[in-house]
Amino acid sequence: MNNFDLKNKTAIITGGAQGFGLDIAKKFLHFGAEVRIWDNDETELSNVIKKEKNENLKYDVVDVTNFDVVKKTIENLKNSKVDILINNAGITGPTAELWNYPIEDWKKIIDVNLNGTYICCKVIAPIMIKNNYGRIVNIASVSGKDGNANASAYSSAKAGVLGLTKSLGKELAEYNIAVNAVTPAGAKTRILDQMSKEHVQRMLSKVPRGRFLELDELSSLVCWLSSDENSFSTAAVFDISGGRSTY
Ligand SMILES: NC(=O)c1ccc[n+]([C@@H]2O[C@H](COP(=O)([O-])OP(=O)(O)OC[C@H]3O[C@@H](n4cnc5c(N)ncnc54)[C@H](O)[C@@H]3O)[C@@H](O)[C@H]2O)c1
């Protein structure tokens, strides 16, 4: 494993109670960062804290779609330094054609994946501007580039995250703040349970590498994007789809 220096860095990782978010949190801790995981699943959050037993790991119960809660949580932090923000909280929702897609599911998927990213950036960007330092990584998806059939809400939300990343990256480029997105292919996390088995198999069949992405592979890329070493790349989309998307 390569080394990254994240000492004296404070990171917030949304959706950090499991899956990609938790793996990123563990790697950040290993490299010396103080990490706060935000999630709306309180049970999973407290399980993680009990299991990890690391004084540099803290949590807040946060629903990223709730602006007031996100704002209050930041205001309650004694130390107002946030060096790294990983917008990772996400849901896929059910598998169905657009014309059969339930309106409530559509709205919820846009709300968590896209509006949640907007809300966290909206609250935390001013802190980064004040400190003239920040690294934001938005966890999008290859479906936001390619569009997956029977996942129009998720694909639209993730495409929106890519647009947000490009706009915000340009808005913050004059500061030492980088905003980038990653577009992972499928990985074995709990999120796969939300989709049909056939849909997951179809996604996998499109990946030239012929396998699922490992959590560790994603968190390595996120570590570099979140480090001082990433001093130039911003407003960019980093592909990690095993060859599925080549643009
Ligand atoms: N696993 C994959 O195949 C895959 C592929 C591409 C992109 N992604 C993206 O990676 C990110 C992480 O997904 P994962 O695979 O680790 O899934 P996961 O289900 O294991 O973890 C997602 C976490 O987000 C939390 N969450 C959901 N809604 C929330 C809300 N409103 N507020 C706060 N937290 C909330 C959940 O409680 C959960 O802990 C998501 O954005 C997902 O879309 C995943």
Side-chain angles (χ1 to χ4, degrees), residues 14-22 38-41 44 62-65 87-92 112-113 139-143 154 158 182-192 194-195 203 212-213 215 218:
T14 72
Q18 60 202 308
F20 283 156
L22 180 55
W38 286 2
D39 208 288
N40 62 352
D41 187 335
E44 282 296 329
V62 174
D63 178 346
V64 294
T65 67
N87 286 300
N88 165 78
I91 54 170
T92 63
V112 177
N113 293 287
I139 312 297
S141 163
V142 67
S143 63
Y154 185 69
K158 293 301 193 184
V182 294
T183 54
K188 283 188 193 157
T189 66
R190 194 185 65 166
I191 211 169
L192 297 191
Q194 296 169 37
M195 298 171 276
M203 288 189 332
F212 287 104
L213 165 70
L215 302 193
L218 190 272

Side-chain angles (χ1 to χ4, degrees), residues 3-247:
N3 275 318
F4 292 95
D5 184 2
L6 298 181
K7 284 191 264 331
N8 301 318
K9 300 284 195 259
T10 304
I12 290 176
I13 304 172
T14 72
Q18 60 202 308
F20 283 156
L22 180 55
D23 203 70
I24 295 165
K26 287 183 189 167
K27 230 176 218 177
F28 280 7
L29 288 165
H30 179 77
F31 293 134
E34 286 185 18
V35 178
R36 296 196 85 88
I37 47 176
W38 286 2
D39 208 288
N40 62 352
D41 187 335
E42 191 166 4
T43 314
E44 282 296 329
L45 279 173
S46 54
N47 286 344
V48 166
I49 297 295
K50 273 186 222 138
K51 197 166 158 225
E52 295 303 316
K53 293 189 182 62
N54 187 323
E55 61 179 17
N56 287 330
L57 179 65
K58 308 263 163 39
Y59 78 85
D60 300 290
V61 182
V62 174
D63 178 346
V64 294
T65 67
N66 189 323
F67 175 73
D68 292 336
V69 169
V70 171
K71 195 160 174 281
K72 209 171 191 99
T73 306
I74 281 290
E75 284 166 0
N76 286 344
L77 297 182
K78 281 187 209 105
N79 177 1
S80 69
K81 191 166 90 87
V82 181
D83 303 293
I84 301 168
L85 168 64
I86 310 298
N87 286 300
N88 165 78
I91 54 170
T92 63
T95 309
E97 302 91 345
L98 181 145
W99 55 94
N100 288 321
Y101 220 87
I103 289 178
E104 281 317 307
D105 284 318
W106 174 281
K107 287 183 177 164
K108 187 153 187 238
I109 292 157
I110 303 287
D111 211 20
V112 177
N113 293 287
L114 178 56
N115 298 343
T117 300
Y118 154 70
I119 286 171
C120 293
C121 288
K122 180 178 172 63
V123 170
I124 292 171
I127 297 171
M128 292 181 166
I129 291 170
K130 205 172 87 208
N131 297 333
N132 192 35
Y133 187 88
R135 298 286 182 269
I136 299 175
V137 182
N138 297 325
I139 312 297
S141 163
V142 67
S143 63
K145 291 167 87 178
D146 279 14
N148 278 343
N150 303 321
S152 54
Y154 185 69
S155 302
S156 304
K158 293 301 193 184
V161 169
L162 300 184
L164 179 155
T165 302
K166 292 172 189 177
S167 296
L168 184 63
K170 291 186 181 99
E171 289 166 12
L172 293 174
E174 67 184 276
Y175 306 96
N176 184 8
I177 302 175
V179 187
N180 292 291
V182 294
T183 54
K188 283 188 193 157
T189 66
R190 194 185 65 166
I191 211 169
L192 297 191
D193 299 344
Q194 296 169 37
M195 298 171 276
S196 72
K197 284 202 171 62
E198 296 71 31
H199 183 75
V200 172
Q201 221 29 62
R202 220 173 17 251
M203 288 189 332
L204 186 58
S205 70
K206 292 176 197 231
V207 176
R209 285 280 198 200
R211 64 166 171 84
F212 287 104
L213 165 70
E214 302 285 338
L215 302 193
D216 186 50
E217 292 169 330
L218 190 272
S219 55
S220 291
L221 175 58
V222 172
C223 269
W224 179 75
L225 286 169
S226 306
S227 71
D228 286 348
E229 276 184 36
N230 173 26
S231 47
F232 198 59
S233 292
T234 195
V237 177
F238 287 76
D239 189 81
I240 179 152
S241 69
R244 175 175 161 184
S245 280
T246 54
Y247 59 96

